[in-house]
Amino acid sequence: MRRDVRRVALALVAGGAMAGAARLLLRPTVQLKVGGLMRPGQEPSIPLGKPPTSPWTWLEIGPDDRVHFYSPKPELGQGAQTGLAQLLAEELQIDLDCLVVHQPDTARGFDPKLLAALGGTSVNSLSRPLREAGARLREALRAEAAARLGCEPGEIVAEHGRCFVRDDPHRSLSYGEIVAGKRGAWTMPVDPPALKEPDRYRLVGHSAPRLDLPDKVTGRAVFGFDVRLPGMIYGAVARPPHEGARLRRVGSVAAAERQPGVVKVVAGRGFAGVVAERRSQAYAALAHLDLEWVGGTTAGQAEIEARVVAPERGGAVVERAGDAAGHLGQGRQLRAGYRSAMFAALPFEPPVAVADVRPDGVTIHVPGQEPAMVRAAVARALGRRKRNVRVIAPYAGGSFGRKHGHLREAAPEAARLSAAVGRPVHVGWSMAEELAHGPVRPPSHHLLFGSLDPTGRARALEHRFASAQNLQAYPPLSLLPKLTGVDAIGLLGAYLTYGAVPHRRTLFRHAPIPVLTSTYRAPGLHPNAFAVESFVDELAHLAGADPLSFRLAHLGSDDVGRRLRLVLEAVSGRAGWWEPAPPGHARGVACCAYGDLVAAEVAEVSVEGGSIRVHRMTCAVDMGFAVNPDAARAQVEGGIAMGLSWALHEEIRIEGGTRSETGLDDYPILTLDEMPMVDTVLLDDGPRLSGPSEVPIGPVAAAVANAVFALTGQRLRKLPLRPPEWAEG
Amino acid sequence: MRLTINEQTYDTAEEAAAEALLWVLRDDLGMTGTKPGCGVGVCGVCTVLVDGQPTRSCQTLAREVAGREIRTVEGLAGFDADGREALHPVQRAFLELQVPQCGWCTPGQLVTAAAFLDEHPNPSDAEIVAAMDGVLCRCGSYPRVVPAVRRAAVLQAEAGRAS
């Protein structure tokens, strides 16, 4: 009772504060500030967490010389754990083959925010603290070895997991022996020892084989969906008949309870699920539940498109230079509209969780990017304290912004079911459930305006766009776009990165739709860069200029401009831009910035039987120093494949409140046969915080659309690209 | 019901007979190497070999394959003369070229490639694409698949000559 009164009181206060805050937050200065959080030329504003002070949080050394690395970051397929292992092994002076990697575990003692894998930051954001931990421990081991071997620490060499006396190498101790024989507390160096200079790297900067792949090629690797606990049974959850419908009432459960194998039917506020001995039995029993759903939407595509319309007037200004409004009406003018569809992030391993809820504590195994968020969501669902909920994050079969522990997630579902039956419960969504009920990528609509002076130089550029928001599945963060009018995270790629155009402005309107929208890989980057880079191409055409030269001529002299110039020049050389394309082929170029990373791509395409065929993608990425170059290349290849799949195929449509696409038969994704040759140039223009996994997605769609234009003279202004789709976006 | 998987026999519950082989492998027998994909037979992620033929395990009832020889990713590796695990050439090649990203589609790719190389030990790139095109990959490991199968063919030939 007291809790309810407190809740109401807090809500009233919060409501009043919010109303006042809303007035403040909607001010243009705030919008510009929020709008600048993801702007090019700086590290993306992603909260990263506080590293541990003790090296022993990161690792343990066994008497068998095995080094147990407790990774705070999950492995999603991006190679993060191997990159982190390289950084640790480099300073600790061990070889990678003695490492055992342990999966993220909220019980390990890391700051929970440290466990998040966001925006490609997992490896580089931990580089310094992890290396310092390794270096500290190495020095402590040397000091201990010196004491045991009866010499000065300066006489000890630490290398390949052993400490030996420089002038008498037979006098040595392995790290395992040192740790096993240690009496009393360790004295860690107060200041971190100097870290290695790049010219001394043995592991960092080399393409070390990924530590998780041997188990992944033998089938031994345990992904979230593979976790099996003693006594585990299976749960299935009743899903709404159309988007957004809520469960008002559960009638009799007797019929469902009588079904074969059913252990229990769990019905609570807005939730109904079945737990059974076999997976199929849990799903089959759902049909026998008497459920009353209310609300939700019966919207169709027409309504979605009517709501997502770029503002001809107004909108939040998120980027401003000069006076675009005052200069757009001059010279030769161009206006064009572009539209992007909803689609699914669709990791092939669907959302899944195995929950073991007991009176004295909860353990839940959930693959995904935000173990701490999962913990909070599960604690809320169960009415328990977060400290009594332990989350372990096994390998994920992809995540791509989908597995984050908030709404429409398996973790709270599995937790509720396990709590009701007192046994471990596995809830693994099917891909059909994911396509029907998972959050979708926010659709967007873009209007771009430009004006050219008599010499064909662009003098003014304006980008007005509307999009549903990316944080809707992350309450209470979902309030931010409503309060500020800006979906900060969705602005990637929307900025006009042509600093030599004196008058530029980008405006955003938040356009909510009655479908749950959420993050996906590189939020905003794909549709925003498509619109901007298609329009720049259209301007170039109006100016009678080569699209690559036109871009180069309009880059600014700031850092972003300089690096975009580097990648555009690199990609043009590698792709043979200045040589004729093969007969029946044409090329298109596009570039983008993602925080402090930049990429430029050239697509070489043909159109065969009404379909676009992409033969080659050449990509130049400036990602800074690559801890593992081969893993970085794999990420570029993967980003291009995903960007291409989105550009050519992926669309979720809705009619009568239900989605039209139900499976990979009507939701096609890119196939091996459709994959172009990929030629990657990795540029290292200095240390950066983010990895390359997301920036290569940006230029793909526009590079392809621009190539189609060069080949056919037809402009494609809708995503996915479907010739003939010549309509104005 | 009795199933023969990777040259071992397993007895399963009555109810398993009418279930998809995929889930019998994973849930009944704990062989989680084979992964669920689209559930409609399109993506090939769940592929296993039945009498050496690539088969969508999500579309195959367990009772349909009782008495046949089933091979999963767990049964691709063999053993060397000292009894140690010896990876199949496709597994070795996938490791050499670092093909998998998340690894979810990898078992489907591996068994498909293994069956293909059994029939086509000296394939052209076009033949490799045609054979492997039926396994979808969300992460985009595609650029490495054809070179890896080509490499596996070489490793397989070397192993054949050595034995």
Side-chain angles (χ1 to χ4, degrees):
Chain A
M1 179 60 177
R2 258 185 69 197
R3 221 194 223 177
D4 285 341
V5 170
R6 266 181 63 214
R7 272 211 198 113
V8 170
L10 276 169
L12 281 173
V13 170
M18 255 165 43
R23 267 198 301 278
L24 266 176
L25 290 167
L26 282 168
R27 290 240 210 100
T29 42
V30 171
Q31 290 175 333
L32 200 56
K33 192 133 180 84
V34 174
L37 287 175
M38 303 298 248
R39 74 170 185 276
Q42 61 177 33
E43 296 151 12
S45 299
I46 297 173
L48 293 172
K50 195 162 163 318
T53 43
S54 167
W56 295 120
T57 308
W58 297 100
L59 65 123
E60 286 167 12
I61 303 179
D64 58 355
D65 295 327
R66 280 200 171 310
V67 177
H68 295 265
F69 170 46
Y70 292 86
S71 173
K73 298 296 188 188
E75 178 58 61
L76 314 170
Q78 80 286 47
Q81 290 181 348
T82 301
L84 292 173
Q86 288 173 255
L87 291 164
L88 172 65
E90 186 71 72
E91 301 294 341
L92 184 56
Q93 291 281 80
I94 56 170
D95 298 326
L96 288 175
D97 55 14
C98 74
L99 267 169
V100 176
V101 181
H102 296 262
Q103 301 310 311
D105 186 337
T106 56
R108 184 65 197 171
F110 289 105
D111 168 6
K113 278 205 290 296
L114 209 69
L115 271 54
L118 303 174
T121 58
S122 288
V123 172
N124 290 342
S125 68
L126 293 184
S127 171
R128 174 156 286 272
L130 186 50
R131 290 175 68 191
E132 285 178 355
R136 276 202 160 93
L137 192 50
R138 182 197 69 227
E139 291 307 300
L141 289 164
R142 279 180 65 213
E144 179 68 16
R148 297 250 287 271
L149 294 170
C151 62
E152 293 300 311
E155 300 172 68
I156 297 284
V157 177
E159 203 168 75
H160 302 297
R162 300 191 73 78
C163 285
F164 60 89
V165 179
R166 182 178 289 109
D167 299 330
D168 188 6
H170 295 296
R171 283 165 65 203
S172 78
L173 289 166
S174 74
Y175 286 6
E177 287 170 325
I178 298 169
V179 170
K182 171 75 177 149
R183 300 282 166 264
W186 289 90
T187 327
M188 294 293 161
V190 171
D191 296 320
L195 300 178
K196 280 189 191 175
E197 290 299 317
D199 61 335
R200 286 185 52 221
Y201 287 162
R202 312 170 284 129
L203 293 170
V204 171
H206 294 86
S207 296
R210 278 206 15 210
L211 298 174
D212 51 320
L213 294 199
D215 280 351
K216 286 177 176 174
V217 301
T218 56
R220 287 195 182 94
V222 178
F223 292 78
F225 218 99
D226 304 332
V227 169
R228 292 164 65 80
L229 300 181
M232 184 179 89
I233 47 180
Y234 299 90
V237 176
R239 305 282 172 209
H242 52 263
E243 181 73 30
R246 291 175 322 281
L247 188 57
R248 169 190 274 165
R249 198 184 62 86
V250 181
S252 164
V253 302
E257 276 178 343
R258 277 200 301 273
Q259 297 306 308
V262 171
V263 171
K264 198 172 170 81
V265 174
V266 180
R269 224 164 24 131
F271 176 85
V274 176
V275 186
E277 298 287 348
R278 302 181 71 81
R279 184 185 301 270
S280 58
Q281 293 168 334
Y283 277 92
L286 287 176
H288 297 267
L289 285 172
D290 172 22
L291 303 173
E292 185 187 323
W293 300 89
V294 290
T297 184
T298 53
Q301 277 306 109
E303 179 178 335
I304 303 292
E305 297 193 7
R307 284 171 178 266
V308 182
V309 177
E312 299 257 7
R313 265 169 240 323
V317 175
V318 296
E319 174 187 37
R320 183 173 57 215
D323 171 27
H327 286 82
L328 273 173
Q330 301 166 12
R332 270 180 302 164
Q333 293 155 50
L334 186 66
R335 164 202 167 114
Y338 307 85
R339 185 172 284 282
S340 78
M342 301 184 288
F343 62 57
L346 211 68
F348 268 12
E349 180 200 38
V352 59
V354 178
D356 187 4
V357 177
R358 295 173 191 230
D360 57 344
V362 179
T363 303
I364 185 159
H365 304 255
V366 189
Q369 295 177 244
E370 298 204 62
M373 298 284 201
V374 169
R375 189 171 67 148
V378 167
R380 242 189 337 265
L382 297 177
R384 301 242 189 154
R385 306 195 89 83
K386 280 195 293 211
R387 63 166 174 267
N388 292 332
V389 177
R390 177 183 181 193
V391 177
I392 298 167
Y395 294 132
S399 178
F400 313 122
R402 169 61 178 104
K403 294 169 178 168
H404 42 53
H406 292 249
L407 302 183
R408 308 222 186 143
E409 285 280 0
E413 296 169 351
R416 291 174 82 160
L417 294 177
S418 177
V421 298
R423 288 171 70 172
V425 174
H426 163 114
V427 171
W429 287 39
S430 66
M431 196 182 277
E433 282 178 285
E434 176 61 15
L435 283 168
H437 304 287
V440 299
R441 190 281 297 272
S444 64
H445 179 243
H446 309 254
L447 285 174
L448 282 119
F449 303 82
S451 69
L452 300 174
D453 71 17
T455 71
R457 283 195 66 83
R459 300 293 296 161
L461 268 181
E462 190 167 82
H463 178 198
R464 297 173 160 276
F465 75 110
S467 174
Q469 62 150 315
N470 280 274
L471 294 176
Q472 195 183 1
Y474 297 70
L477 289 175
S478 48
L479 287 173
L480 274 176
K482 295 176 193 163
L483 292 177
T484 64
V486 177
D487 179 32
I489 195 178
L491 297 180
L492 291 168
Y495 304 96
L496 299 162
T497 53
Y498 294 93
V501 178
H503 309 286
R504 305 185 309 277
R505 197 162 66 149
T506 301
L507 302 99
F508 174 80
R509 167 198 276 168
H510 174 220
I513 60 171
V515 181
L516 186 72
T517 56
S518 188
T519 48
Y520 56 106
R521 200 176 193 180
L525 186 65
H526 166 74
N528 296 345
F530 168 67
V532 170
E533 285 293 295
S534 293
F535 187 72
V536 169
D537 227 60
E538 297 206 50
L539 266 183
H541 182 70
L542 184 66
D546 170 85
L548 191 91
S549 305
F550 187 79
R551 284 170 169 80
L552 288 171
H554 290 89
L555 293 174
S557 53
D558 58 351
D559 193 52
V560 174
R562 185 181 57 78
R563 288 188 293 113
L564 281 169
R565 182 176 305 280
L566 272 174
V567 291
L568 278 167
E569 285 173 348
V571 81
S572 71
R574 185 70 80 98
W577 180 263
W578 304 110
E579 280 106 56
H585 293 199
R587 297 191 190 98
V589 66
C591 62
C592 76
Y594 172 126
D596 54 357
L597 304 183
V598 295
E601 291 169 19
V602 169
E604 182 184 308
V605 314
S606 63
V607 174
E608 293 161 20
S611 294
I612 300 171
R613 181 144 190 105
V614 184
H615 297 272
R616 178 179 293 273
M617 291 292 299
T618 313
C619 176
V621 183
D622 174 16
M623 58 161 287
F625 182 81
V627 171
N628 189 317
D630 191 59
R633 274 174 201 285
Q635 286 302 290
V636 173
E637 291 160 10
I640 287 175
M642 188 161 271
L644 207 50
S645 190
W646 295 345
L648 296 178
H649 294 315
E650 295 186 40
E651 180 177 18
I652 287 194
R653 300 175 66 82
I654 188 166
E655 288 307 335
T658 61
R659 304 190 192 170
S660 313
E661 290 69 24
T662 59
L664 288 187
D665 42 1
D666 55 16
Y667 186 84
I669 69 166
L670 198 77
T671 66
L672 172 66
D673 185 54
E674 293 172 329
M675 184 77 200
M677 298 283 300
V678 174
D679 195 3
T680 304
V681 180
L682 289 185
L683 296 172
D684 169 9
D685 193 55
R688 292 285 182 274
L689 203 60
S690 304
S693 65
E694 303 195 313
V695 68
I697 290 173
V700 173
V704 172
N706 294 341
V708 170
F709 176 76
L711 187 68
T712 67
Q714 302 281 7
R715 267 289 157 199
L716 302 179
R717 298 197 182 90
K718 274 188 174 172
L719 288 176
L721 304 172
R722 295 226 170 97
E725 188 71 74
W726 318 131
E728 184 74 25
Chain B
M1 184 190 54
R2 181 159 283 189
L3 293 173
T4 305
I5 305 163
N6 302 328
E7 289 152 44
Q8 301 229 11
T9 52
Y10 298 87
D11 287 309
T12 60
E14 282 274 326
E15 299 100 318
E19 303 247 14
L21 176 62
L22 169 68
W23 299 116
V24 175
L25 286 170
R26 293 183 56 86
D27 295 346
D28 288 78
L29 299 176
M31 299 175 72
T32 55
T34 306
K35 309 300 187 199
C38 64
V40 293
V42 167
C43 70
V45 163
C46 70
T47 302
V48 299
L49 302 181
V50 177
D51 293 335
Q53 296 305 306
T55 306
R56 292 351 194 185
S57 65
C58 77
Q59 300 294 294
T60 307
L61 298 182
R63 65 172 173 243
E64 290 169 18
V65 292
R68 316 265 291 276
E69 300 277 333
I70 301 165
R71 187 167 300 279
T72 69
V73 65
E74 290 99 332
L76 278 183
F79 295 93
D80 65 15
D82 303 315
R84 276 191 306 247
E85 182 179 76
L87 294 181
H88 189 286
V90 297
Q91 291 171 310
R92 287 170 54 204
F94 268 51
L95 284 179
E96 262 188 47
L97 274 73
Q98 299 277 283
V99 178
Q101 294 196 21
C102 82
W104 192 253
C105 74
T106 302
Q109 288 181 326
L110 288 171
V111 302
T112 302
F116 169 69
L117 286 176
D118 258 356
E119 303 273 315
H120 301 90
N122 192 15
S124 67
D125 281 4
E127 286 170 330
I128 296 173
V129 171
M132 300 299 291
D133 193 43
V135 185
L136 299 178
C137 170
R138 186 49 162 170
C139 295
S141 66
Y142 295 140
R144 301 180 179 214
V145 170
V146 170
V149 176
R150 228 191 280 135
R151 175 69 182 146
V154 169
L155 293 173
Q156 183 174 264
E158 283 173 3
R161 279 195 291 278
S163 61

